Amino acid sequence: MLVPQNNIFVFANWKTKPATLAEAKKIIASYPKSTGRMELVAFPPFPFMGMVQEMYTPRRLVGAQNITELVPASSFVGGVTPSQLASMGMRYVIVGHSAVRAAGENDQDINTKIRALLENNMIPIVCIGEHARDESGEFFHDIEEQIQGTFDGLTKKDFESIIIAYEPLWAIGEEALRDAIAEEVEETVIFIKRSIGTLTGNQRIGRTTIVYGGSVSNGEQAQDLLNAGCRGVLLGRASLDPKQLGSIINGVKTYRNKK
Ligand code: PGA
């Protein structure tokens, strides 16, 4: 499945929230039904997926937060496979989120998951990002290493079906040190595109799709990130807050109207 080229993405990653089905119904009921060429994709926890798919259509706008390491898929109790998700009409799956990496997932595991998703005609959203940002630019080295490990052996063609989520760890979640500024995001987006170009021997790097994630909470910030070369945003907390989500959606629309 090729990444749609004309759309802006707003990925709403609910993580482990909310606590109950009733609350999940309220959240998805607050999502706008039609967003034109913006894809607002909800990533609810697995138990709420069926309900979210019934209340929020089309089905491709509901995604999964992860799949299970597939060896051996048949006996991994509690596991979720790409073919199951694909058969539910899903298109997008997040892999390599920093929370999952922190729990022990490594680049090789993520590489296996990316390949499994591509084989099932789905679009992996692959998270990468540095732990800290230093003045001397050492962090670029970390990102490069992560890219080489995570995307090892993937081709230029594969990247037409992959979305990269640039998520600097220092800017994510309640522990975030500060928001990333647009210039920092812009230079890193260019760096990531160049690294993918080197990895795949592709001089034309324009088609690598990158979204940004890390404490995005308002429309102005979303516009800055789109202007910095991102094709969308990956939201955590803001995806559960109708006011923040509304502001971000309006920001994307304003950006679009200016184009
Ligand atoms: P946040 O989460 O928006 O709450 O910082 C982003 C993420 O973890 O992907």
Side-chain angles (χ1 to χ4, degrees), residues 41 91 111 116 126 152 209 228 237 248:
V41 185
R91 191 181 267 196
N111 188 284
V126 187
D152 184 35
T209 307
R237 287 158 294 166
I248 291 162

Side-chain angles (χ1 to χ4, degrees), residues 217-228:
S217 63
N218 63 68
E220 216 172 300
Q221 221 182 344
Q223 285 184 66
D224 287 347
L225 292 162
L226 294 168
N227 281 319

Side-chain angles (χ1 to χ4, degrees), residues 8 19 21 52-53 79 90 111 130 146 156 158 198 220:
I8 291 177
L21 179 63
V52 171
Q53 274 195 324
M90 289 186 190
N111 188 284
E130 75 277 8
Q146 225 174 36
K156 176 179 141 192
D158 291 330
T198 309
E220 216 172 300

Side-chain angles (χ1 to χ4, degrees), residues 80-132:
V80 174
T81 69
S83 67
Q84 291 164 345
L85 299 172
S87 75
M88 290 174 75
M90 289 186 190
R91 191 181 267 196
Y92 300 106
V93 178
I94 299 170
V95 288
H97 189 276
S98 57
V100 186
R101 287 184 188 258
E105 184 169 73
N106 64 29
D107 291 348
Q108 179 56 53
D109 301 330
I110 299 163
N111 188 284
T112 308
K113 291 183 178 183
I114 295 170
R115 288 169 187 275
L117 288 165
L118 294 176
E119 273 167 30
N120 282 273
N121 205 22
M122 301 184 84
I123 298 176
I125 301 166
V126 187
C127 303
I128 58 171
E130 75 277 8
H131 283 88

Side-chain angles (χ1 to χ4, degrees), residues 11 19 21 27 41-42 50 75 78 83 88 90 103-104 107 123 129 143-144 162 178 192-193 249 255:
F11 295 134
L21 179 63
I27 293 166
V41 185
S75 59
S83 67
M88 290 174 75
M90 289 186 190
D107 291 348
I123 298 176
I143 295 177
E144 179 114 55
I162 292 172
R178 63 173 173 85
I192 293 170
K193 287 189 175 186
I249 290 169
Y255 169 86

